[in-house]
Amino acid sequence: MSGLVTPHRFDGKVVAVTGAAQGIGLTVATRLAAEGASLILIDRAEIVHEVAKGLRENGTDAHSITADLEQFADAEAAIDEARQQHGRLDVLINNVGGTIWAKPYEHYTAEQIQAEVQRSLFPTLWTCRAVLPHLIAQQSGTIVNVSSVATRGVNRVPYAASKGGVNALTASLALEAAQYGIRVVATAPGGTEAPARRVPRGPGAETDQEKAWYQQIVDQTVDSSLLKRYGTLDEQAAAIVFLASDEATYITGTVLPVAGGDLG
């Protein structure tokens, strides 16, 4: 990774990262490893086991779990297994989600709307619910949710609504959890440059019309950014890891936009 690293910042910390097999989640996991964390990597893609193996070969304590976090039973089982690895869990980073289709709202089917919400809201709802009793019992812990500035964006209304739900969850759960010494925070990434996904989120743009709709997303994202560019994976990971760290112990209930000046 090319981002700045703070050595030993997570020494002695047990951190679970969902959606850790690729993209932002993989970059977050790699940075946490460099900063001393013991990692639990959760993803429904089998390649998460390759990621954990690579980190272990470099000296990191890393355990991998495959789970479909769109289902509460899987989320609960994954969190239980994660906690059993070290007897506790200090940080949960909820990174699962992402636009499946890109098109004006009137072109979505009911099934597609439900699938978008199931992908980008429910995994965070489920894992927060699953981890909360453990953190309450510990009287400590941090949850970092990965939202999006696309709550104000074109051609992905169901995704925007889902991430608006993540923002509301973050604010409301922080109010409830503070009495137990638990922080709940979020970042809201903007457009982010990333390698092609090894496991795609959806069918991708195929027709000329679908490609034009997707290009509208790109154009609006860049135009909304004061810096007029996409961010990098390292820029996204830096904010997530900071909020997860003890450097952010007086921050809770807030969503930090990481989008070059676009506030969403």
Side-chain angles (χ1 to χ4, degrees), residues 86-163:
H86 298 274
R88 71 179 198 285
L89 197 57
D90 299 304
V91 180
L92 169 63
I93 297 174
N94 284 315
N95 177 62
V96 172
T99 305
I100 305 172
W101 294 278
K103 53 187 171 181
Y105 191 42
E106 66 269 22
H107 292 280
Y108 280 85
T109 67
E111 293 75 17
Q112 289 172 340
I113 293 167
Q114 185 168 337
E116 293 277 10
V117 176
Q118 199 74 28
R119 173 72 55 83
S120 291
L121 175 58
F122 273 94
T124 300
L125 278 172
W126 292 149
T127 52
C128 283
R129 173 60 184 83
V131 81
L132 199 57
H134 300 304
L135 301 187
I136 290 173
Q138 291 176 182
Q139 294 287 290
S140 66
T142 300
I143 298 172
V144 182
N145 298 323
V146 180
S147 181
S148 174
V149 293
T151 48
R152 292 175 61 89
V154 299
N155 295 350
R156 42 185 172 168
V157 166
Y159 172 74
S162 301
K163 291 303 191 179

Side-chain angles (χ1 to χ4, degrees), residues 102-260:
K103 53 187 171 181
Y105 191 42
E106 66 269 22
H107 292 280
Y108 280 85
T109 67
E111 293 75 17
Q112 289 172 340
I113 293 167
Q114 185 168 337
E116 293 277 10
V117 176
Q118 199 74 28
R119 173 72 55 83
S120 291
L121 175 58
F122 273 94
T124 300
L125 278 172
W126 292 149
T127 52
C128 283
R129 173 60 184 83
V131 81
L132 199 57
H134 300 304
L135 301 187
I136 290 173
Q138 291 176 182
Q139 294 287 290
S140 66
T142 300
I143 298 172
V144 182
N145 298 323
V146 180
S147 181
S148 174
V149 293
T151 48
R152 292 175 61 89
V154 299
N155 295 350
R156 42 185 172 168
V157 166
Y159 172 74
S162 301
K163 291 303 191 179
V166 171
N167 292 350
L169 164 65
T170 299
S172 297
L173 185 55
L175 285 170
E176 293 187 9
Q179 62 184 310
Y180 304 112
I182 300 165
R183 295 189 301 116
V184 186
V185 289
T187 67
T192 305
E193 294 284 358
R197 293 178 61 86
R198 294 175 62 187
V199 179
R201 290 196 183 104
E206 297 176 352
T207 69
D208 288 344
Q209 179 63 84
E210 289 171 342
K211 292 175 182 176
W213 284 333
Y214 183 78
Q215 187 59 45
Q216 288 174 349
I217 290 178
V218 174
D219 293 344
Q220 187 248 312
T221 299
V222 173
D223 186 59
S224 297
S225 166
L226 301 183
L227 299 182
K228 302 304 178 190
R229 66 172 176 86
Y230 270 37
T232 68
L233 290 171
D234 283 326
E235 286 172 326
Q236 297 302 336
I240 293 166
V241 172
F242 163 70
L243 287 177
S245 77
D246 286 344
E247 294 181 71
T249 50
Y250 199 51
I251 302 173
T252 193
T254 60
V255 180
L256 172 64
V258 188

Side-chain angles (χ1 to χ4, degrees), residues 12-86:
K13 299 284 188 179
V14 181
V15 184
V17 183
T18 74
Q22 50 192 337
I24 291 174
L26 173 58
T27 306
V28 167
T30 303
R31 181 165 183 149
L32 287 166
E35 298 196 4
S38 294
L39 293 174
I40 316 293
L41 309 182
I42 307 171
D43 203 294
R44 69 179 179 186
E46 293 290 333
I47 57 175
V48 72
H49 300 306
E50 298 176 23
V51 174
K53 181 175 182 289
L55 292 175
R56 286 195 299 271
E57 289 172 350
N58 286 319
T60 296
D61 181 353
H63 177 76
S64 51
I65 301 169
T66 49
D68 180 2
L69 299 181
E70 294 181 18
Q71 313 302 321
F72 179 66
D74 269 28
E76 190 171 44
I79 293 298
D80 286 347
E81 182 177 341
R83 184 181 173 278
Q84 288 167 9
Q85 295 304 305
H86 298 274

